[in-house]
Amino acid sequence: MGPVTDAADLIAGLDLSAQAALGSGASFWTTKPIGALPPVVLTDGPHGVRRQSGSATDHLGLSASEPATCFPPAVGLSQTWDPELIERIGRALGDECRALGVHVLLGPGVNIKRDPRCGRNFEYYSEDPYLSGTLGAAWVRGVQSRGVAASVKHFAANNAEHDRMRASSDVDVRTLREIYLRTFEIVVRQARPWTVMCSYNRINGVYAAENRWLLTTVLRDEWGFDGVVVSDWGAVADRVAAVAAGLDLEMPTTGGVSDAEVVRAVRAGRLGADAVARAARRVVHLTQQVIETPSQPTGFDAAAHHALAREAAGEAIVLLKNDRDVLPLAPCPLVVIGEFAREPRYQGGGSSHVNPTRLDIPLEEIRRFTGEHPVDYCPGNDVGAAVTAAESADAAIVFLGLTPEEESEGYDREHIDLPSAQLDLLRAVVEVQPNTVVVLSHGGVVRLDTVGALAPAILDGALLGQAGGGALADVLFGVVNPSGRLAETVPLRLQDCPAYLNFPSESGHTVYGERMFVGYRWYDARDLPVAFPFGHGLSYTRFEYSDLELTPTDAGLSVRLTVANTGRREGREVVQVYAGLPRSGVARPPRWLGGFASVTVAPGERRGVEIPVSRADLAYWDTDAGRRRLEPGEYEMSVGASSRDLRLTATVRLDGDAASRPFTRESTLGELLADPVAAQTILTVLGAASPFGTDESALGGNLLRLLESVPIGRMAGFSAGKVTREQLDALLAAINAQRS
Ligand code: BGC
């Protein structure tokens, strides 16, 4: 007998009150015990285990938690573009959960970074749904391989902190499907998470927790999700409406208040008893899934996990700029400037805050590499002192970034600038020290035009977790060859950002006016210059691309190429595939990410790379048909080292899906003429019906364009009886039959 049957049996033996009680927490972090089954322990996540075993509990990162490895937060992890590594981290997190008695780890956060001001961007992966979904799925696979449940969050369209518990994200369906839901869809379909956390916000006016379309139609009926939908902490405004919509578990506890509401609603006929039983059954099933795993290990290997955190941080660091090959540094007299070298900024604020097992201090780690050479240190508040030290050193490393107060869960930023005092400091140091390296620490994107103009070398550390200090030293001194890539565009200025005029909410509504033109899709469509493009990241070696081959497959497309390392060090290249359909019939960005792969290549070596691109990642969401559609046409496929460093491009013809909607009298001439089956027949009708025939010269060659928007049914009137409605209906029926 499988666990599902067990769960059904167990539920059948419980009365309504007991079933309702299973649908809400017993405490801040636990569910209720069910007979012999112990309570399930849920905990944040995502980049470490925040297990609060004492009496003080909170979801704001305030009270203490047990020591656990602080891996790089999502902003850093995403810069690895490395699902295999993220899956390994997932496994390590799963092991720590088991050791700390945690059954559900609340992550990954896969919301799209719609605007750089969102206070929680540090906890999300990317502005691109394919990248976010692929990395999020890897994390889930890793965690769940240890018998610990993941909780993909925050479902959905939770892209700002301002008024996050009330505001409605007003998004059109196509944009939801292609961008904001797509990430979750990839994770759910690929990794089958055991739980999904619904978000605080409303979507098009309806709370996520009460949104039946979201929680049942899309998530379960379409994507096949069969786990537990858990609420974000305190997200349920109306538990009865939420249960009816498909919410299974309200967290945290409400002390029984909402359980009683559910019971009353069933008794009054306002809620089906089956909905309550279904939610209870799913909670029981989850309990069985997480409790049934083999016996708990007694601890975890903190040293091995620290080493893994260092490896991940090393892969996450992005070499944004490296003029004159200033990096890597040889051991030499150095000055290190800035507080973050001594007190690193390595994770974000709020519910994800982890109590690290240990913490690498960048300054100390740098000192390990310089041998007998002196390493001077200046906090940077005394520009006099920093300049003097920089003058007498061979190179300066300047740590810049945002303090924890400037960004956190719970609120958004109002600007994306670095503090002006930091820029003044950098200006002064660069004036006396040509070999200046900037190291950046931040959760959300910061404006980098000034830093980019001043500093010859820049390392973007984003947030790197507890081993970031060691990893930075590894990259600074060339022990690790940088291979991280930006998962987010760095704009030249906030005013260029896609959601600039629609962020955050106003009167409780956030208008997603930029639609699917998020991140690089926007900058490329508008042809805007940026500081550093999506996917950018340099290496200490060089790679050359050749032999691009495109082969249509049943699943979509196979992209093959060769990558050669023409430099002098081994390196990892993240090869990115971008798709475009210049003659698309709908609005589309010039290019979008369709796939990627990393390849490690030795100097002088050439390696073949194959990257599959799925039909779903080439298609658009056909709103009329209510499904994804691959347009037939010539797809332009580019491979490159960033979204703006495309090395090779080729085109491939894909047959695509037929337009699914049958033609009716309301279909326009333009729509019919665009269809290969309908076009010829319609031209004949047009010749008979229009007073000008199809003689373009009659209207200066513009005839067809002028008539494009006329619904075909109106031709009966325009033709003064030459073509009747009945004839049109017969023609349309014949065309539809041929197309189907
Ligand atoms: C956050 C979630 C978190 C939960 C529990 C909420 O405020 O939005 O991401 O998992 O608290 O701490």
Side-chain angles (χ1 to χ4, degrees):
M1 192 160 47
V4 180
T5 333
D6 290 339
D9 285 354
L10 235 155
I11 290 308
L14 301 178
D15 67 11
L16 175 63
S17 306
Q19 290 183 2
L22 290 181
S24 70
S27 70
F28 206 82
W29 296 121
T30 57
T31 63
K32 291 161 186 143
I34 311 152
L37 293 175
V40 168
V41 176
L42 305 94
T43 272
D44 286 307
H47 58 273
V49 184
R50 192 169 75 95
R51 173 77 159 116
Q52 295 184 311
S53 45
S55 53
T57 49
D58 68 277
H59 62 298
L60 303 171
L62 303 175
S63 315
S65 58
E66 306 272 332
T69 310
C70 179
F71 290 98
V75 61
L77 270 196
S78 61
Q79 294 188 166
T80 67
W81 290 57
D82 190 343
E84 184 274 327
L85 172 77
I86 292 178
E87 191 167 334
R88 272 195 286 143
I89 289 177
R91 292 203 284 270
L93 287 168
D95 286 341
E96 296 199 16
C97 283
R98 299 265 305 280
L100 293 165
V102 170
H103 304 110
V104 182
L105 188 59
L106 303 175
V110 297
N111 295 93
I112 290 291
K113 302 191 198 207
R114 173 176 177 246
D115 189 279
R117 287 166 288 184
C118 172
R120 222 171 169 182
N121 276 359
F122 75 89
E123 222 178 312
Y124 301 143
Y125 289 108
S126 175
E127 65 191 19
D128 179 83
Y130 178 79
L131 180 60
S132 306
T134 307
L135 302 184
W139 191 96
V140 172
R141 277 195 301 271
V143 169
Q144 294 196 166
S145 73
R146 296 307 203 240
V148 172
S151 194
V152 189
K153 63 189 189 181
H154 308 87
F155 191 52
N158 182 184
N159 311 101
E161 291 300 280
H162 172 80
D163 207 9
R164 68 172 167 160
M165 294 185 80
R166 290 187 314 183
S168 172
S169 299
D170 294 348
V171 202
D172 68 275
V173 173
R174 189 178 156 203
T175 303
L176 273 175
R177 294 292 196 156
E178 289 184 21
I179 305 288
Y180 298 98
L181 298 186
R182 179 69 186 138
T183 312
F184 289 94
E185 180 182 7
I186 293 172
V187 179
V188 168
R189 286 191 195 271
Q190 284 187 12
R192 300 184 64 85
W194 295 349
T195 84
V196 164
M197 184 193 289
C198 70
S199 54
Y200 286 128
N201 53 293
R202 293 174 159 99
I203 295 141
N204 294 323
V206 183
Y207 275 121
E210 296 170 21
N211 201 315
R212 190 177 163 75
W213 174 78
L214 186 74
L215 301 188
T216 298
T217 310
V218 173
L219 179 65
R220 292 188 189 279
D221 300 348
E222 282 185 32
W223 301 346
F225 175 71
D226 57 4
V228 164
V229 174
V230 54
S231 74
D232 199 344
W233 267 232
V236 177
D238 178 343
R239 168 96 176 276
V240 173
V243 172
L247 180 92
D248 303 307
L249 177 63
E250 176 181 17
M251 286 302 290
T253 180
T254 63
V257 173
S258 67
D259 301 343
E261 284 165 5
V262 165
V263 171
R264 276 200 301 277
V266 173
R267 294 207 171 118
R270 287 186 286 112
L271 178 68
D274 55 332
V276 182
R278 201 170 45 221
R281 196 176 61 238
R282 289 182 187 138
V283 173
V284 172
H285 179 49
L286 172 70
T287 310
Q288 289 167 327
Q289 274 180 306
V290 294
I291 301 295
E292 265 177 9
T293 49
S295 63
Q296 310 274 338
T298 46
F300 61 88
D301 188 340
H305 289 189
H306 186 79
L308 177 58
R310 183 166 178 156
E311 180 190 341
E315 273 199 23
I317 294 164
V318 179
L319 177 62
L320 289 177
K321 188 179 171 192
N322 195 18
D323 289 356
R324 296 182 278 110
D325 290 338
V326 166
L327 286 173
L329 297 171
C332 62
L334 279 177
V335 58
V336 176
I337 301 168
E339 275 299 353
F340 294 132
R342 224 172 26 176
E343 275 190 45
R345 174 89 203 289
Y346 62 98
Q347 65 175 326
S351 60
S352 66
H353 202 90
V354 175
N355 175 16
T357 56
R358 57 191 255 208
L359 182 61
D360 284 359
I361 305 301
L363 180 59
E364 290 169 13
E365 300 298 327
I366 288 167
R367 286 196 164 127
R368 286 186 214 284
F369 280 90
T370 47
E372 74 285 2
H373 298 289
V375 177
D376 209 350
Y377 172 72
C378 306
N381 45 4
D382 179 347
V383 180
V387 167
T388 310
E391 266 171 335
S392 53
D394 284 6
I397 306 174
V398 185
F399 282 75
L400 306 179
L402 301 179
T403 59
E405 294 71 37
E406 280 166 296
E407 51 177 0
S408 164
E409 175 180 347
Y411 54 89
D412 300 315
R413 283 184 294 165
E414 283 171 12
H415 61 79
I416 58 169
D417 299 335
L418 282 168
S420 58
Q422 292 189 12
L423 299 180
D424 292 342
L425 171 71
L426 178 65
R427 210 170 273 118
V429 170
V430 168
E431 231 164 70
V432 298
Q433 179 48 263
N435 298 325
T436 296
V437 180
V438 166
V439 175
L440 296 165
S441 310
H442 56 97
V445 151
V446 288
R447 186 171 168 158
L448 288 179
D449 50 346
T450 307
V451 177
L454 290 172
I458 308 172
L459 287 180
D460 186 1
L463 301 177
L464 294 174
Q466 68 179 45
L472 280 168
D474 290 341
V475 171
L476 284 165
F477 293 95
V479 172
V480 167
N481 187 353
S483 62
R485 298 302 169 95
L486 292 177
E488 196 180 355
T489 309
V490 183
L492 275 178
R493 43 180 212 150
L494 181 61
Q495 291 88 328
D496 292 341
C497 295
Y500 176 63
L501 296 173
N502 283 316
F503 186 95
S505 59
E506 181 179 302
S507 307
H509 290 266
T510 312
V511 179
Y512 283 49
E514 73 287 356
R515 304 187 65 216
M516 55 277 171
F517 295 93
V518 180
Y520 65 90
R521 287 167 164 78
W522 167 266
Y523 301 106
D524 289 350
R526 305 283 320 274
D527 201 13
L528 290 171
V530 299
F532 295 100
F534 175 78
H536 172 76
L538 305 175
S539 165
Y540 295 154
T541 190
R542 278 183 310 281
F543 299 99
E544 272 176 24
Y545 292 48
S546 61
D547 312 326
L548 176 61
E549 257 180 59
L550 307 174
T551 318
T553 61
D554 287 348
L557 194 60
S558 162
V559 178
R560 285 206 202 88
L561 68 148
T562 304
V563 176
N565 183 338
T566 56
R568 286 202 298 271
R569 284 166 185 266
E570 181 176 275
R572 183 179 76 107
E573 175 72 339
V574 178
V575 181
Q576 300 156 45
V577 177
Y578 292 91
L581 182 60
R583 298 182 59 81
S584 170
V586 293
R588 300 196 83 168
R591 71 193 63 88
W592 62 92
L593 186 72
F596 65 91
S598 36
V599 55
T600 300
V601 196
E605 194 193 3
R606 297 161 58 80
R607 294 201 48 187
V609 185
E610 181 171 1
I611 304 172
V613 180
S614 76
R615 289 173 74 89
D617 292 307
L618 294 166
Y620 77 102
W621 185 264
D622 181 339
T623 308
D624 290 336
R627 66 174 176 81
R628 198 164 274 127
R629 175 171 176 249
L630 182 71
E631 284 177 278
E634 294 280 334
Y635 283 77
E636 197 173 274
M637 305 299 299
S638 306
V639 288
S642 90
S643 59
R644 292 204 172 174
D645 182 6
L646 305 173
R647 305 286 179 85
L648 303 168
T649 299
T651 56
V652 60
R653 179 152 192 92
L654 295 179
D655 291 340
D657 305 318
S660 47
R661 269 218 312 183
F663 289 120
T664 67
R665 285 190 206 161
E666 279 298 293
S667 304
T668 65
L669 286 170
E671 286 163 358
L672 285 150
L673 289 172
D675 183 90
V677 176
Q680 198 44 51
T681 318
I682 290 309
L683 275 176
T684 316
V685 176
L686 204 56
S690 122
F692 314 104
T694 47
D695 179 5
E696 294 263 338
S697 61
L699 282 169
N702 260 348
L703 180 63
L704 289 180
R705 291 194 68 190
L706 274 170
L707 294 177
E708 235 169 40
S709 61
V710 177
I712 185 83
R714 315 289 165 88
M715 293 314 288
F718 284 140
S719 72
K722 279 193 230 147
V723 179
T724 65
R725 290 213 164 81
E726 291 66 32
Q727 283 172 322
L728 281 175
D729 287 345
L731 262 180
L732 290 170
I735 291 171
N736 287 333
Q738 264 193 64
R739 291 165 80 229
S740 60

